[in-house]
Amino acid sequence: MTAAIFASKRAARLAASALAAFALSGAAFTLWQMPAAAAGDAVAVPPPSLDEKPGHAGSETAVFAGGCFWGVQGVFQHVRGVESAVSGYAGGARADAEYETVSTGTTGHAESVEITYDPAKITYGKLLQVYFSVAHNPTELNYQGPDRGTQYRSTIFAANDTQKKIAQAYIAQLGKDRVFAAPIVTTLEEGRTFYPAESYHQNFLERNPTYPYIVYNDLPKIEALKRMFPDLYSEKPVLVMAQAKG
C-alpha cells in the first residue's frame, strides 16, 4: 500500500470528527496552533522510585505501545540517550505483523515502538516517565484519542525481569499517588517479539509535520516533552534510516 492510499484511509477514519472538516478546508495552519489540550494534556508524573542505575556504555531496548505509533515514535526520537525509535508491531504472530491485518484488531498485535537506548545516558525508568507523562494517556483502555481497538492499547513489553519489576513498581507507585484522574490501564506483556512496520510509517511525524492528524494529536506531545523535560529534549530527532519492510 502506498503512503498516499494509506493516508486517505487514515483520514477516512477521522471523517466523523471535526478534524476531518478542518482537513477538508485546508486549515492545517490553524490546527498547528491549537493548544496541547486539543489532543489531551500531558501529565507531570514523578520519577520512578525503583529504577536501574546508569549502566555501562552499550545499547539496550525497550518496547512501548500507546496508541498510534507515529506520535510515540516521534516523542522518543527527540529524547537524549535514545539511539533509535522504530515503529512496529508486538503482541502477535509474525505472519500478522502487517498494517492492514493489525488494523482489524484481531491479531493480538499493538502498534508499538522499539526504543534502542544508551543506559549510560538514560535509564529505563526515565523512559517510562516520558512514556506515562507525554507519549500517551495510560488511562484510556484500548484506545487513544480518535483511534479505537486493542491494537491501540497501552502496553509495556518487558524484555527481562528487571524491566518487568521496574514497570510494575512504577504503575503501582503512580496508582497509589493518584497521579491520574482515572485508573491506569497499562498492561505488561512478556515474551513478545517486535516486528518493524512498513517503511511509510517510519519517521511519519518528521516527514509529515502539517498532516492534520499529526498536528492535532502528536505535535503537542513534542512540545510537552520540550517543556517538561528540557534536559532530555533533543531538537534534532534520531531518524530511522532504513527498514526491512517495504
Side-chain angles (χ1 to χ4, degrees), residues 36-37 39-48 64-66 71-72 75-76 79 122 124-140 144 154 156 170-171 174 179-181 184 186 217-230 232-233:
D41 289 325
V43 176
V45 303
F64 301 143
V72 179
V75 166
F76 285 102
V79 173
I122 190 169
Y124 182 71
K126 183 60 70 173
L127 293 175
L128 285 175
Q129 187 180 11
V130 172
Y131 169 71
F132 280 110
S133 59
V134 302
H136 85 306
N137 184 338
T139 70
E140 296 180 343
Q144 285 289 306
S154 173
I156 297 168
Y170 197 28
I171 291 172
L174 296 177
V179 173
F180 296 94
I184 294 173
T186 305
N217 294 286
D218 295 330
L219 290 185
K221 298 178 182 179
I222 307 300
E223 289 303 311
L225 175 69
K226 184 177 182 179
R227 181 180 72 254
M228 297 169 64
F229 297 94
L232 288 181
Y233 178 75

Short mmCIF file of all heavy atoms in Angstrom, two decimals, residues 36-37 39-48 64-66 71-72 75-76 79 122 124-140 144 154 156 170-171 174 179-181 184 186 217-230 232-233:
data_model
loop_
_atom_site.label_atom_id
_atom_site.label_comp_id
_atom_site.label_asym_id
_atom_site.label_seq_id
_atom_site.Cartn_x
_atom_site.Cartn_y
_atom_site.Cartn_z
N ALA A 36 -2.08 22.20 23.41
CA ALA A 36 -1.92 20.78 23.69
C ALA A 36 -3.22 20.16 24.19
O ALA A 36 -3.46 18.98 24.00
CB ALA A 36 -0.82 20.57 24.73
N ALA A 37 -4.06 20.94 24.84
CA ALA A 37 -5.30 20.41 25.38
C ALA A 37 -6.17 19.81 24.30
O ALA A 37 -7.02 18.97 24.58
CB ALA A 37 -6.06 21.51 26.11
N ALA A 39 -5.41 17.69 22.10
CA ALA A 39 -5.11 16.28 21.97
C ALA A 39 -4.99 15.60 23.33
O ALA A 39 -4.61 14.44 23.41
CB ALA A 39 -3.81 16.10 21.18
N GLY A 40 -5.30 16.29 24.38
CA GLY A 40 -5.17 15.72 25.72
C GLY A 40 -3.93 16.27 26.41
O GLY A 40 -2.84 16.25 25.85
N ASP A 41 -4.10 16.80 27.59
CA ASP A 41 -2.98 17.41 28.30
C ASP A 41 -1.98 16.36 28.76
O ASP A 41 -2.34 15.28 29.22
CB ASP A 41 -3.49 18.17 29.52
CG ASP A 41 -4.24 19.43 29.13
OD1 ASP A 41 -3.83 20.06 28.14
OD2 ASP A 41 -5.22 19.78 29.81
N ALA A 42 -0.70 16.72 28.68
CA ALA A 42 0.34 15.90 29.28
C ALA A 42 0.20 16.01 30.80
O ALA A 42 -0.32 17.00 31.31
CB ALA A 42 1.71 16.37 28.83
N VAL A 43 0.67 15.00 31.50
CA VAL A 43 0.56 14.97 32.96
C VAL A 43 1.95 14.87 33.56
O VAL A 43 2.74 13.99 33.19
CB VAL A 43 -0.30 13.78 33.43
CG1 VAL A 43 -0.34 13.70 34.94
CG2 VAL A 43 -1.71 13.89 32.87
N ALA A 44 2.27 15.77 34.47
CA ALA A 44 3.55 15.72 35.16
C ALA A 44 3.55 14.56 36.15
O ALA A 44 2.74 14.55 37.08
CB ALA A 44 3.82 17.03 35.88
N VAL A 45 4.40 13.59 35.93
CA VAL A 45 4.47 12.44 36.83
C VAL A 45 5.84 12.40 37.49
O VAL A 45 6.85 12.80 36.90
CB VAL A 45 4.20 11.11 36.08
CG1 VAL A 45 2.85 11.16 35.38
CG2 VAL A 45 5.30 10.81 35.06
N PRO A 46 5.92 11.92 38.72
CA PRO A 46 7.21 11.85 39.41
C PRO A 46 8.07 10.74 38.81
O PRO A 46 7.56 9.82 38.17
CB PRO A 46 6.82 11.51 40.84
CG PRO A 46 5.54 10.75 40.69
CD PRO A 46 4.81 11.42 39.56
N PRO A 47 9.37 10.81 38.99
CA PRO A 47 10.24 9.73 38.51
C PRO A 47 9.97 8.46 39.30
O PRO A 47 9.45 8.51 40.42
CB PRO A 47 11.65 10.27 38.78
CG PRO A 47 11.48 11.24 39.89
CD PRO A 47 10.13 11.88 39.66
N PRO A 48 10.31 7.32 38.75
CA PRO A 48 10.06 6.06 39.46
C PRO A 48 10.95 5.92 40.69
O PRO A 48 12.13 6.27 40.67
CB PRO A 48 10.39 4.99 38.41
CG PRO A 48 11.34 5.65 37.48
CD PRO A 48 10.91 7.09 37.42
N PHE A 64 7.36 -0.08 23.85
CA PHE A 64 6.16 0.51 24.44
C PHE A 64 5.07 0.61 23.39
O PHE A 64 5.35 0.89 22.21
CB PHE A 64 6.44 1.91 24.98
CG PHE A 64 7.51 2.00 26.02
CD1 PHE A 64 8.38 3.08 26.05
CD2 PHE A 64 7.67 1.01 26.98
CE1 PHE A 64 9.37 3.19 27.01
CE2 PHE A 64 8.65 1.10 27.95
CZ PHE A 64 9.51 2.19 27.97
N ALA A 65 3.82 0.43 23.81
CA ALA A 65 2.66 0.65 22.96
C ALA A 65 1.75 1.65 23.65
O ALA A 65 1.49 1.52 24.85
CB ALA A 65 1.92 -0.66 22.70
N GLY A 66 1.26 2.62 22.89
CA GLY A 66 0.38 3.63 23.48
C GLY A 66 -0.36 4.41 22.42
O GLY A 66 -0.18 5.61 22.29
N GLY A 71 3.05 9.07 16.88
CA GLY A 71 3.36 10.02 17.94
C GLY A 71 4.32 9.48 18.96
O GLY A 71 5.21 10.19 19.44
N VAL A 72 4.18 8.19 19.31
CA VAL A 72 5.09 7.58 20.28
C VAL A 72 6.51 7.57 19.73
O VAL A 72 7.47 7.92 20.41
CB VAL A 72 4.63 6.16 20.64
CG1 VAL A 72 5.60 5.52 21.64
CG2 VAL A 72 3.22 6.18 21.23
N VAL A 75 7.96 11.18 19.76
CA VAL A 75 8.41 11.62 21.08
C VAL A 75 9.79 11.07 21.39
O VAL A 75 10.72 11.82 21.73
CB VAL A 75 7.40 11.20 22.17
CG1 VAL A 75 8.03 11.36 23.56
CG2 VAL A 75 6.14 12.03 22.08
N PHE A 76 9.95 9.77 21.29
CA PHE A 76 11.21 9.16 21.71
C PHE A 76 12.37 9.45 20.75
O PHE A 76 13.54 9.36 21.15
CB PHE A 76 11.03 7.66 21.93
CG PHE A 76 10.31 7.35 23.20
CD1 PHE A 76 8.97 6.99 23.20
CD2 PHE A 76 10.96 7.46 24.42
CE1 PHE A 76 8.29 6.74 24.38
CE2 PHE A 76 10.31 7.22 25.61
CZ PHE A 76 8.96 6.85 25.59
N VAL A 79 14.35 12.24 22.40
CA VAL A 79 14.84 12.04 23.77
C VAL A 79 16.35 11.75 23.75
O VAL A 79 16.80 10.83 23.05
CB VAL A 79 14.08 10.89 24.46
CG1 VAL A 79 14.70 10.57 25.81
CG2 VAL A 79 12.61 11.25 24.63
N ILE A 122 20.63 7.36 29.74
CA ILE A 122 19.24 7.43 30.18
C ILE A 122 18.83 6.05 30.71
O ILE A 122 19.26 5.02 30.19
CB ILE A 122 18.32 7.87 29.03
CG1 ILE A 122 16.91 8.17 29.57
CG2 ILE A 122 18.28 6.84 27.91
CD1 ILE A 122 16.02 8.87 28.56
N TYR A 124 15.97 3.07 32.04
CA TYR A 124 14.68 2.52 31.64
C TYR A 124 13.55 3.26 32.37
O TYR A 124 12.52 3.57 31.78
CB TYR A 124 14.65 1.03 31.95
CG TYR A 124 13.37 0.34 31.53
CD1 TYR A 124 13.08 0.13 30.18
CD2 TYR A 124 12.45 -0.12 32.49
CE1 TYR A 124 11.91 -0.50 29.79
CE2 TYR A 124 11.28 -0.75 32.10
CZ TYR A 124 11.01 -0.94 30.75
OH TYR A 124 9.86 -1.58 30.37
N GLY A 125 13.77 3.54 33.63
CA GLY A 125 12.76 4.25 34.40
C GLY A 125 12.47 5.64 33.87
O GLY A 125 11.33 6.10 33.87
N LYS A 126 13.50 6.33 33.40
CA LYS A 126 13.30 7.66 32.83
C LYS A 126 12.52 7.56 31.52
O LYS A 126 11.67 8.42 31.23
CB LYS A 126 14.65 8.34 32.60
CG LYS A 126 14.55 9.76 32.08
CD LYS A 126 13.79 10.67 33.03
CE LYS A 126 14.55 10.95 34.30
NZ LYS A 126 13.87 11.97 35.14
N LEU A 127 12.77 6.53 30.73
CA LEU A 127 11.98 6.31 29.52
C LEU A 127 10.51 6.09 29.88
O LEU A 127 9.60 6.60 29.21
CB LEU A 127 12.51 5.10 28.74
CG LEU A 127 13.89 5.22 28.11
CD1 LEU A 127 14.30 3.88 27.50
CD2 LEU A 127 13.91 6.31 27.04
N LEU A 128 10.27 5.33 30.96
CA LEU A 128 8.90 5.11 31.42
C LEU A 128 8.24 6.41 31.85
O LEU A 128 7.04 6.62 31.62
CB LEU A 128 8.88 4.11 32.57
CG LEU A 128 9.10 2.64 32.24
CD1 LEU A 128 9.18 1.81 33.51
CD2 LEU A 128 7.97 2.11 31.34
N GLN A 129 9.01 7.28 32.49
CA GLN A 129 8.45 8.56 32.92
C GLN A 129 7.97 9.37 31.72
O GLN A 129 6.89 9.97 31.75
CB GLN A 129 9.48 9.34 33.72
CG GLN A 129 8.92 10.61 34.36
CD GLN A 129 9.96 11.38 35.16
OE1 GLN A 129 11.16 11.10 35.09
NE2 GLN A 129 9.51 12.36 35.92
N VAL A 130 8.74 9.37 30.65
CA VAL A 130 8.35 10.06 29.42
C VAL A 130 7.12 9.38 28.81
O VAL A 130 6.18 10.05 28.37
CB VAL A 130 9.52 10.08 28.41
CG1 VAL A 130 9.05 10.61 27.06
CG2 VAL A 130 10.66 10.93 28.95
N TYR A 131 7.13 8.07 28.81
CA TYR A 131 6.02 7.28 28.26
C TYR A 131 4.71 7.60 28.96
O TYR A 131 3.68 7.84 28.31
CB TYR A 131 6.38 5.80 28.41
CG TYR A 131 5.27 4.81 28.14
CD1 TYR A 131 4.79 4.59 26.85
CD2 TYR A 131 4.74 4.06 29.19
CE1 TYR A 131 3.80 3.64 26.61
CE2 TYR A 131 3.75 3.11 28.95
CZ TYR A 131 3.28 2.91 27.66
OH TYR A 131 2.29 1.97 27.44
N PHE A 132 4.72 7.64 30.29
CA PHE A 132 3.49 7.88 31.04
C PHE A 132 3.06 9.35 31.04
O PHE A 132 1.88 9.65 31.18
CB PHE A 132 3.65 7.40 32.48
CG PHE A 132 3.47 5.92 32.65
CD1 PHE A 132 4.55 5.11 32.96
CD2 PHE A 132 2.23 5.33 32.49
CE1 PHE A 132 4.39 3.74 33.12
CE2 PHE A 132 2.05 3.97 32.64
CZ PHE A 132 3.14 3.16 32.95
N SER A 133 4.01 10.26 30.89
CA SER A 133 3.67 11.68 31.04
C SER A 133 3.28 12.34 29.73
O SER A 133 2.29 13.10 29.68
CB SER A 133 4.83 12.44 31.68
OG SER A 133 5.99 12.31 30.88
N VAL A 134 4.02 12.10 28.65
CA VAL A 134 3.76 12.84 27.42
C VAL A 134 3.50 11.98 26.20
O VAL A 134 2.89 12.46 25.23
CB VAL A 134 4.93 13.82 27.09
CG1 VAL A 134 5.14 14.80 28.22
CG2 VAL A 134 6.21 13.08 26.77
N ALA A 135 3.93 10.72 26.19
CA ALA A 135 3.82 9.91 24.97
C ALA A 135 2.41 9.41 24.73
O ALA A 135 2.01 9.17 23.57
CB ALA A 135 4.79 8.73 25.02
N HIS A 136 1.63 9.21 25.81
CA HIS A 136 0.26 8.72 25.64
C HIS A 136 -0.51 8.90 26.94
O HIS A 136 0.06 9.33 27.95
CB HIS A 136 0.27 7.25 25.21
CG HIS A 136 0.37 6.27 26.33
ND1 HIS A 136 1.38 6.29 27.29
CD2 HIS A 136 -0.42 5.20 26.67
CE1 HIS A 136 1.20 5.29 28.15
NE2 HIS A 136 0.12 4.63 27.80
N ASN A 137 -1.78 8.55 26.92
CA ASN A 137 -2.62 8.61 28.11
C ASN A 137 -2.84 7.18 28.63
O ASN A 137 -3.54 6.39 27.98
CB ASN A 137 -3.97 9.25 27.77
CG ASN A 137 -4.87 9.42 28.99
OD1 ASN A 137 -4.71 8.75 30.00
ND2 ASN A 137 -5.83 10.32 28.89
N PRO A 138 -2.25 6.82 29.76
CA PRO A 138 -2.34 5.44 30.25
C PRO A 138 -3.66 5.07 30.90
O PRO A 138 -3.80 3.97 31.43
CB PRO A 138 -1.19 5.39 31.27
CG PRO A 138 -1.14 6.77 31.82
CD PRO A 138 -1.42 7.66 30.64
N THR A 139 -4.64 5.97 30.87
CA THR A 139 -5.95 5.67 31.47
C THR A 139 -7.00 5.33 30.42
O THR A 139 -8.16 5.08 30.77
CB THR A 139 -6.45 6.86 32.31
OG1 THR A 139 -6.82 7.95 31.45
CG2 THR A 139 -5.40 7.31 33.31
N GLU A 140 -6.62 5.31 29.14
CA GLU A 140 -7.57 5.01 28.08
C GLU A 140 -7.46 3.54 27.67
O GLU A 140 -6.43 3.12 27.16
CB GLU A 140 -7.34 5.94 26.88
CG GLU A 140 -7.60 7.40 27.24
CD GLU A 140 -7.37 8.36 26.09
OE1 GLU A 140 -6.69 7.97 25.10
OE2 GLU A 140 -7.84 9.50 26.16
N GLN A 144 -6.76 5.47 22.01
CA GLN A 144 -6.03 6.70 22.27
C GLN A 144 -6.61 7.76 21.35
O GLN A 144 -6.57 7.61 20.12
CB GLN A 144 -4.53 6.55 22.01
CG GLN A 144 -3.76 5.78 23.06
CD GLN A 144 -3.61 6.52 24.37
OE1 GLN A 144 -3.14 7.65 24.40
NE2 GLN A 144 -4.00 5.88 25.46
N SER A 154 -2.59 0.38 25.71
CA SER A 154 -1.43 0.85 26.47
C SER A 154 -0.74 -0.37 27.06
O SER A 154 -1.27 -1.02 27.97
CB SER A 154 -1.89 1.80 27.57
OG SER A 154 -0.82 2.14 28.43
N ILE A 156 3.26 -2.26 28.03
CA ILE A 156 4.72 -2.29 28.13
C ILE A 156 5.16 -3.72 27.84
O ILE A 156 4.72 -4.65 28.51
CB ILE A 156 5.19 -1.87 29.53
CG1 ILE A 156 4.78 -0.41 29.80
CG2 ILE A 156 6.70 -2.05 29.68
CD1 ILE A 156 4.94 0.00 31.26
N TYR A 170 6.43 0.99 39.13
CA TYR A 170 6.09 2.35 38.73
C TYR A 170 4.57 2.51 38.56
O TYR A 170 3.99 3.52 39.00
CB TYR A 170 6.81 2.71 37.44
CG TYR A 170 6.87 4.18 37.15
CD1 TYR A 170 6.86 5.14 38.16
CD2 TYR A 170 6.97 4.63 35.84
CE1 TYR A 170 6.94 6.50 37.88
CE2 TYR A 170 7.06 5.99 35.54
CZ TYR A 170 7.04 6.92 36.56
OH TYR A 170 7.13 8.26 36.28
N ILE A 171 3.95 1.52 37.95
CA ILE A 171 2.49 1.57 37.80
C ILE A 171 1.82 1.61 39.17
O ILE A 171 0.89 2.38 39.40
CB ILE A 171 1.99 0.37 36.98
CG1 ILE A 171 2.46 0.49 35.51
CG2 ILE A 171 0.47 0.27 37.03
CD1 ILE A 171 2.18 -0.72 34.67
N LEU A 174 2.41 5.16 40.73
CA LEU A 174 1.55 6.20 40.15
C LEU A 174 0.10 6.01 40.57
O LEU A 174 -0.62 6.99 40.80
CB LEU A 174 1.67 6.19 38.63
CG LEU A 174 3.06 6.53 38.05
CD1 LEU A 174 3.04 6.42 36.54
CD2 LEU A 174 3.49 7.93 38.47
N VAL A 179 -1.84 9.93 40.64
CA VAL A 179 -1.31 10.95 39.74
C VAL A 179 -2.31 11.28 38.63
O VAL A 179 -2.42 12.43 38.20
CB VAL A 179 0.02 10.47 39.13
CG1 VAL A 179 0.51 11.44 38.07
CG2 VAL A 179 1.07 10.30 40.23
N PHE A 180 -3.06 10.26 38.20
CA PHE A 180 -4.04 10.45 37.14
C PHE A 180 -5.44 10.48 37.73
O PHE A 180 -5.71 9.88 38.77
CB PHE A 180 -3.93 9.34 36.09
CG PHE A 180 -2.61 9.32 35.37
CD1 PHE A 180 -1.57 8.53 35.81
CD2 PHE A 180 -2.42 10.11 34.25
CE1 PHE A 180 -0.35 8.52 35.15
CE2 PHE A 180 -1.20 10.11 33.58
CZ PHE A 180 -0.17 9.31 34.03
N ALA A 181 -6.35 11.15 37.02
CA ALA A 181 -7.72 11.27 37.50
C ALA A 181 -8.49 9.96 37.38
O ALA A 181 -9.51 9.78 38.06
CB ALA A 181 -8.44 12.36 36.71
N ILE A 184 -4.98 3.70 35.99
CA ILE A 184 -4.05 3.33 34.92
C ILE A 184 -4.46 1.95 34.39
O ILE A 184 -4.69 1.02 35.16
CB ILE A 184 -2.61 3.29 35.44
CG1 ILE A 184 -2.16 4.70 35.82
CG2 ILE A 184 -1.66 2.70 34.39
CD1 ILE A 184 -0.80 4.74 36.50
N THR A 186 -2.62 0.45 31.81
CA THR A 186 -1.44 -0.09 31.13
C THR A 186 -1.17 -1.51 31.59
O THR A 186 -1.15 -1.79 32.78
CB THR A 186 -0.21 0.78 31.41
OG1 THR A 186 -0.50 2.13 31.06
CG2 THR A 186 0.99 0.29 30.62
N ASN A 217 -2.89 15.68 17.07
CA ASN A 217 -2.68 14.66 18.10
C ASN A 217 -1.25 14.51 18.60
O ASN A 217 -1.04 14.13 19.75
CB ASN A 217 -3.14 13.29 17.58
CG ASN A 217 -4.63 13.22 17.35
OD1 ASN A 217 -5.42 13.16 18.28
ND2 ASN A 217 -5.03 13.26 16.08
N ASP A 218 -0.27 14.80 17.74
CA ASP A 218 1.11 14.42 18.08
C ASP A 218 2.08 15.58 18.30
O ASP A 218 2.97 15.47 19.15
CB ASP A 218 1.67 13.48 17.00
CG ASP A 218 0.92 12.17 16.95
OD1 ASP A 218 0.40 11.74 18.02
OD2 ASP A 218 0.82 11.57 15.87
N LEU A 219 1.96 16.65 17.56
CA LEU A 219 2.88 17.77 17.79
C LEU A 219 2.77 18.32 19.21
O LEU A 219 3.79 18.73 19.79
CB LEU A 219 2.65 18.88 16.76
CG LEU A 219 3.08 18.56 15.33
CD1 LEU A 219 2.90 19.77 14.44
CD2 LEU A 219 4.53 18.06 15.27
N PRO A 220 1.57 18.33 19.82
CA PRO A 220 1.52 18.78 21.22
C PRO A 220 2.36 17.91 22.16
O PRO A 220 2.85 18.40 23.18
CB PRO A 220 0.02 18.67 21.56
CG PRO A 220 -0.68 18.86 20.26
CD PRO A 220 0.20 18.14 19.27
N LYS A 221 2.54 16.63 21.81
CA LYS A 221 3.38 15.76 22.64
C LYS A 221 4.84 16.18 22.58
O LYS A 221 5.55 16.15 23.59
CB LYS A 221 3.24 14.31 22.17
CG LYS A 221 1.84 13.73 22.28
CD LYS A 221 1.80 12.31 21.74
CE LYS A 221 0.40 11.73 21.80
NZ LYS A 221 0.34 10.35 21.26
N ILE A 222 5.28 16.58 21.40
CA ILE A 222 6.66 17.03 21.25
C ILE A 222 6.88 18.32 22.05
O ILE A 222 7.91 18.49 22.72
CB ILE A 222 7.02 17.25 19.77
CG1 ILE A 222 6.70 16.00 18.93
CG2 ILE A 222 8.48 17.63 19.62
CD1 ILE A 222 7.44 14.76 19.37
N GLU A 223 5.91 19.21 21.98
CA GLU A 223 6.01 20.45 22.75
C GLU A 223 6.00 20.19 24.25
O GLU A 223 6.71 20.83 25.02
CB GLU A 223 4.86 21.39 22.36
CG GLU A 223 5.00 21.98 20.97
CD GLU A 223 6.30 22.72 20.78
OE1 GLU A 223 6.63 23.55 21.65
OE2 GLU A 223 6.99 22.46 19.78
N ALA A 224 5.19 19.21 24.67
CA ALA A 224 5.15 18.86 26.09
C ALA A 224 6.48 18.27 26.54
O ALA A 224 6.96 18.55 27.64
CB ALA A 224 4.02 17.88 26.35
N LEU A 225 7.08 17.43 25.70
CA LEU A 225 8.39 16.87 26.02
C LEU A 225 9.42 17.98 26.20
O LEU A 225 10.20 17.98 27.17
CB LEU A 225 8.83 15.92 24.91
CG LEU A 225 10.25 15.34 25.03
CD1 LEU A 225 10.34 14.35 26.18
CD2 LEU A 225 10.66 14.66 23.72
N LYS A 226 9.42 18.92 25.28
CA LYS A 226 10.37 20.03 25.34
C LYS A 226 10.17 20.87 26.59
O LYS A 226 11.14 21.30 27.23
CB LYS A 226 10.21 20.89 24.08
CG LYS A 226 11.20 22.03 23.96
CD LYS A 226 10.99 22.76 22.63
CE LYS A 226 11.99 23.88 22.46
NZ LYS A 226 11.80 24.57 21.14
N ARG A 227 8.91 21.09 26.96
CA ARG A 227 8.59 21.93 28.12
C ARG A 227 8.84 21.22 29.45
O ARG A 227 9.37 21.81 30.39
CB ARG A 227 7.12 22.34 28.04
CG ARG A 227 6.66 23.25 29.16
CD ARG A 227 5.20 23.62 29.01
NE ARG A 227 4.28 22.51 29.28
CZ ARG A 227 3.62 21.84 28.35
NH1 ARG A 227 3.77 22.14 27.07
NH2 ARG A 227 2.81 20.86 28.69
N MET A 228 8.47 19.94 29.52
CA MET A 228 8.51 19.23 30.79
C MET A 228 9.84 18.52 31.06
O MET A 228 10.19 18.28 32.21
CB MET A 228 7.37 18.21 30.84
CG MET A 228 5.99 18.85 30.78
SD MET A 228 4.64 17.66 30.53
CE MET A 228 4.77 16.70 32.03
N PHE A 229 10.58 18.22 29.99
CA PHE A 229 11.85 17.52 30.15
C PHE A 229 12.95 18.24 29.35
O PHE A 229 13.52 17.67 28.41
CB PHE A 229 11.73 16.07 29.66
CG PHE A 229 10.76 15.23 30.44
CD1 PHE A 229 9.45 15.08 30.02
CD2 PHE A 229 11.16 14.57 31.61
CE1 PHE A 229 8.55 14.31 30.73
CE2 PHE A 229 10.27 13.79 32.32
CZ PHE A 229 8.96 13.66 31.89
N PRO A 230 13.24 19.48 29.69
CA PRO A 230 14.22 20.24 28.90
C PRO A 230 15.60 19.60 28.89
O PRO A 230 16.34 19.74 27.90
CB PRO A 230 14.24 21.61 29.59
CG PRO A 230 13.72 21.36 30.98
CD PRO A 230 12.70 20.27 30.81
N LEU A 232 16.18 16.46 28.80
CA LEU A 232 16.13 15.26 27.97
C LEU A 232 15.85 15.57 26.50
O LEU A 232 16.15 14.76 25.63
CB LEU A 232 15.04 14.30 28.48
CG LEU A 232 15.29 13.54 29.78
CD1 LEU A 232 14.10 12.64 30.08
CD2 LEU A 232 16.57 12.71 29.68
N TYR A 233 15.29 16.73 26.26
CA TYR A 233 14.83 17.04 24.91
C TYR A 233 16.00 17.31 23.97
O TYR A 233 16.92 18.05 24.27
CB TYR A 233 13.92 18.27 24.92
CG TYR A 233 13.45 18.68 23.55
CD1 TYR A 233 12.47 17.96 22.88
CD2 TYR A 233 14.01 19.79 22.93
CE1 TYR A 233 12.05 18.34 21.62
CE2 TYR A 233 13.59 20.18 21.66
CZ TYR A 233 12.61 19.45 21.01
OH TYR A 233 12.21 19.82 19.77
#
